[in-house]
Every structure is written in structure tokens, then in C-alpha cells.
Amino acid sequence: MVVLGLALAARLIIKYRSRPDTWSRIFYGIGTNSSARAADLNRDGILDIVLGAGGKEFESTDMAVIALNGSNGDTLWTVGGSNQIVGSAAFKDISGDDVPDVFIGGRTAQLYAINGVSGGIIWQYLKPNQVSDSQPDTTLLNFFNLQFIPDQNRDGVDDILTAFGGYVNAEPDDFDRPAGMLMILDATSGEVLKRSAVPDGKETYMSPVVYDFGDGLTIIFGSGGETVSGNLYALQLKDFMTSGTRNSIKIDASDTKGFVSPPIIADITGDGIGDIVVSNMDGYMKAYNGKDFSPIWSRKIHPLGETQSMPGPLYFDDDKVVDFFGSFNIGKWPKNDTTIHVVISGVNGQEIFRDTLGVLQFSSPVWLNYNKDSYPDLIHLINIQMRNVLYPIYKTQLIVYEGKTGSKIPLDSLYEGKVLGSTPLVTDLDSDGKVDVIYTYMTQFDEFITYRDLVIKRIELDIEMNENLWGGYMGTDYSSIFKKR
């Protein structure tokens, strides 16, 4: 594998930094596992950045949701929270001012609808006085990424589908955990229209995905966790509204660990119907036929592999069928020490590329046409562990995997700190035809699962934005549906 020399890498970084639309902002005392998303909130024609954040778990913060001016990185507004906001934002105007409002969720039952202009809370799932130390923890699970679905209560506005689950106080070997739920809420008021526990009564972390496989909208969702077995399910939306999760179809089961990361819907069989590709905590990447949910292929990446990252679509070989890049952490949660990156053939599940680089992280890859050839390239964040006399030091770097050869090209300097679950965003904020990359890292360099300060960066590259097929976490449109070129 070819790696750029340090001198050339430095010239690339200086070139990118010299572009005028590049900025960096630091926020003290917080970190993030949320991924940046973009919408024009201040009506200046430039997309702005929204990100979930927080300090230590169970500690309140004034900066649980941050909105930044896309043009210069200045803070537009912040919203406080009682815990970390780990979901990523979704946007829909419900206030009638033609500016997108922000919907975002996180730990301890935090789910907000926020006015996009002012940052004022339109509604929240729990009122502030409902959160207390005396309240049972089982009522304060976590909200993850949401999807908008067609209007279910006939008020003329699309509604919200999301997952509610995850019991943060459980020890890894504590399997008695509250059941996760699927929920549908009214987008204008936050009223719960339907809720139902996952069929197996396990916990859930997977953000649900919605797709029409030919007979109406179907929800794909999962159960289980890092140490808890689980299942992958399909359920028609209309059935959920009438019968909860009772009529769920079990697509697959995982014996020792669960299905945590969202799937990708992509047509790999060529029949015009999206198929399901998912990675699970047992270290597999698997594909299922969208026609009948039967298995297409299954690939075990490593005997000790685990992942909370969703695969990234990539045309790596010449067969015109999309392939899938995945990151798998080696070891047993939470003591994973090495990360393997692989590309799996969409045709047959064969491994066609492997690289061992860095240590634990949960972010996912996104697309960039870096070198203007016919092969899209992947932007990814890596964490590197170094040693000094007393303790390990962590550093992080934004890199491009060149799509044709797998060569690694640094896009920015190597910084002290790390990224955990924050996926970069590739977009064109100011519609000038040039690629913008928004990414984050945390400056805590001597401990891993801890926060200190949060850095949010915009880098404008001297590269034309000519396609953006997979530009953020769960895709450019945040639906997890991959559309062919």
C-alpha cells in the first residue's frame, strides 16, 4: 500500500488550510459522539452546522446541542441538557418560518425539537422536572437517530420514528436490562403516537431505517448490545401502528452480541429492490435480499472483531456493484486495542481489501471524489496510540482512502486527542462548487473514553463537488438508503 511522504502530506495540508472558507472552533469541557449535520438556520444562503455534545455522563451542560454559523464557525445558539446528546440532527420546519427546525436525541430520555432560528425549545420528550435522581433508571433510556415517516395522525406533518433503549448503568456482564422500544412521535408536539418493545425483550441501540421493499414502508431495526445477544428484524410500518412489534419478521440472530449499527439499504442483486447490508457486534458483515430477507452472503472479519460502526458504500472493484468498507475493533468491549479496515465485495461477500490501522473508534466512512478518477474515495478518521514513559498518548488524523488502490492520504495534521463516534460531513456549505469537510475531535490525549475539550473544524478543499452519494452518517440524506450512480 502506498502512503504519501510527510513532506507531500504537509504541502497538501497547507494548501487546504490556505483556502478562505476554513475555520476551527474549540469548546471547553465537552466532547461528542454525535455527527455534524447541516442546514441554513440564519437565512444567509450558507448551510450551518448542528452537533450534539456534552460533558461527562449524567452531568448537565449548557452545550448539549450546538449550532454554528457555516461561514465562519461562530456560535448561533446552544441548548442545554441533563446529559450527553449522542444522536445526530434531523431537520424539518414545524414553526412555519421557512427555516428548518432541529430534532435531536440523546441519553437519559432527551429528545428535543428546537427552533432553528432562535435555539428555543419547541418541545421535549421529558419535562425538566421529570428527570430526578429518584426516578427509576429504566424510564430514562436513550434516544438515537430518528427518521421522518409519512403523517400518521393526519395533522398534515410527517411524524418521527426512533429507537429508545440502552441501559448505561449496566455492567458488561449484567444481562438483566430493560427492553428497548420503537417509538413514533408527533413531530409538532412530541406526543407519543405508538410505542412497543422489541420482540425479544432485549435492549436496543440501532437507529431504525425505513424503506419500501415493494409492499409498503418497512422498518428495519435491531436488538442487543456490546455484550448482549440480539436479532435483526423487519416490520411493516402499518403493522407497527396497529399491532406494535408483534408481527415482526426475524431476519437474523446473533448468539452472543447484538445488532448495534444501522444497516445500509443498497441494491446489490440488480433487481431494482434495495437489499440490506449490516455489520454486527459479533464481527460479521452480512447481506440480505430485500425481496424476502433471505441471506445473500456473510463474512466474518476477525475471530475477535467487534463493531459499532455502520458500513460505508464504495465502488472498489470493476464489477459495477457497490462494495462495503467496514471498521472492526479487535478485542472485547470496552478493551479493544486495534482497528481493522476491510472492503467486502457486494457481489459475494469476499474480502477484497484489508488494512490494520489505529485503535478503537466508532465513526463511519463517507465519500469524496478526491482525485477526480472514476473511483470514489473514502474520508475516515483514525486514532493512533503512542507511548511515552508513563502512559499512552492518543492522536487522531483525518485521512482519505484512495478508492482505486487503498492508499492513505492525510487531509489534515495529526492532532493530540481522539475521535470516538463522530462521523465527518462532506458537503458544499456555501454552494461555491468546492468540497467542505466538517469533522470533530476531542483533545483528551492521555485517556480514551473521556472528554476534555471539543474541536469542530471546517476544511474547504480545492476539489470540485461533482457528486455526493454518501456524505454523512447514514448517508447524504441521513436515510441509510444508498442510491446507485
Side-chain angles (χ1 to χ4, degrees), residues 199-252:
D200 56 13
K202 302 290 183 65
E203 63 181 349
T204 188
Y205 294 92
M206 179 184 284
S207 299
V209 173
V210 182
Y211 181 77
D212 187 348
F213 293 95
D215 53 359
L217 287 176
T218 295
I219 306 168
I220 304 298
F221 65 101
S223 66
E226 288 95 348
T227 60
V228 175
S229 64
N231 300 286
L232 183 68
Y233 295 101
L235 173 64
Q236 288 204 327
L237 175 61
K238 62 184 179 182
D239 285 347
F240 179 63
M241 289 302 297
T242 57
S243 305
T245 58
R246 183 183 309 164
N247 295 325
S248 299
I249 299 170
K250 185 188 291 187
I251 299 175
D252 202 354

Side-chain angles (χ1 to χ4, degrees), residues 410-430:
L411 274 184
D412 203 355
S413 299
L414 185 67
Y415 295 107
E416 287 191 340
K418 79 277 181 173
V419 62
L420 292 179
S422 184
T423 294
L425 177 67
V426 174
T427 187
D428 180 4
L429 294 181
D430 50 8

Side-chain angles (χ1 to χ4, degrees), residues 1 3 18 61 67 113 116 126 147 167 171 174 193 207 254 297 329 333 338 374 390 404 446 457 483:
M1 179 170 293
V3 182
S18 68
T61 176
L126 286 183
Q147 298 288 328
Y167 188 41
E171 296 295 329
D174 177 8
L193 303 178
S207 299
S254 184
W297 48 256
N329 301 308
W333 168 261
T338 303
S374 60
L390 299 177
K404 188 174 182 179
D446 53 354
K457 299 196 69 173
K483 299 178 178 63

